[in-house]
Amino acid sequence: MTPTASPTSQPTDAPTTASPTFAPTASGVPSQAPTGIIDTILPCIQAVPGKDSNGSIIITVDIHYSNLDPDTRDYVDNCERDDDPHCPITDLTPLPSDWFGIYPCSARDPWPLASSPSFNFQPMAWAYTCYTGNCRRAENATSDTTIVFADDTAPLFGTEGYFHQPVSTLPPGCYTVLLNRIEGWSAPPYYNICAGNDFVIE
């Protein structure tokens, strides 16, 4: 769901482009719940942090959007252009190129201007919903699945490079998960299918 030097009219194979990277913050996170899910679990996508047998950070991501209701879905209205016919998304039919991204909670704040949309930069880690690789041109979409997002199984294009990093190295703080789509003018921000929960990594 090779960084490009400037926005393009057609999406690239991987959701990457030159954008600032924000450090996660734990601002507003209840002190009595330093780990795990913070707010209400949503049906479309949810993420739960944990650790593997070696003590490395992993994130279990549940995705269920095969019959997503456009009238009741919780999504980020991050359209950057008023004349963009693709945003917000109206056809929620799952696509093979749909992907999920892990963002710091601070990404909700418009940057660098108050008029900028939320999540206007790259996720810290991401993968297509199929998870196993670049499934953008696959025949079938993956709309209902549970993924254990971990360094030893995640595709390298979503956890390496200038903008992304391995799951095990995510700094402590508050994060959120988004289910996104590559479509329209260019990105970021990427068009949001639905917004997931906030969670904390210690």
Side-chain angles (χ1 to χ4, degrees):
M1 225 230 299
T2 309
T4 56
S6 61
T8 60
S9 59
Q10 296 299 322
T12 55
D13 280 348
T16 57
T17 190
S19 302
T21 300
F22 285 68
T25 64
S27 173
V29 176
S31 58
Q32 67 270 24
T35 60
I37 294 177
I38 296 174
D39 49 16
T40 303
I41 292 176
L42 302 172
C44 176
I45 185 169
Q46 60 176 325
V48 180
K51 293 187 177 181
D52 62 16
S53 58
N54 296 318
S56 297
I57 296 170
I58 59 174
I59 303 173
T60 301
V61 182
D62 284 311
I63 299 172
H64 302 286
Y65 72 115
S66 56
N67 295 295
L68 191 60
D69 188 338
D71 297 324
T72 60
R73 70 181 173 121
D74 186 5
Y75 73 100
V76 178
D77 186 358
N78 59 351
C79 302
E80 192 168 24
R81 296 176 51 154
D82 293 337
D83 62 343
D84 188 343
H86 303 277
C87 191
I89 299 171
T90 55
D91 184 358
L92 299 175
T93 304
L95 299 177
S97 57
D98 293 341
W99 59 278
F100 67 92
I102 305 298
Y103 293 83
C105 293
S106 58
R108 287 193 181 90
D109 299 328
W111 190 96
L113 303 173
S115 59
S116 298
S118 298
F119 301 99
N120 192 24
F121 61 96
Q122 299 297 332
M124 299 189 75
W126 71 279
Y128 289 104
T129 54
C130 71
Y131 189 63
T132 56
N134 186 340
C135 316
R136 184 171 180 183
R137 293 177 176 84
E139 183 176 350
N140 299 311
T142 303
S143 58
D144 296 278
T145 186
T146 297
I147 295 164
V148 178
F149 201 17
D151 290 351
D152 59 349
T153 58
L156 295 181
F157 58 72
T159 59
E160 289 187 349
Y162 183 79
F163 302 110
H164 317 298
Q165 63 187 82
V167 175
S168 65
T169 66
L170 292 174
C174 178
Y175 294 85
T176 194
V177 60
L178 299 181
L179 180 62
N180 292 332
R181 176 160 293 171
I182 306 173
E183 188 176 342
W185 296 107
S186 187
Y190 298 96
Y191 298 161
N192 184 235
I193 298 172
C194 63
N197 60 291
D198 289 0
F199 61 95
V200 174
I201 291 177
E202 285 191 316

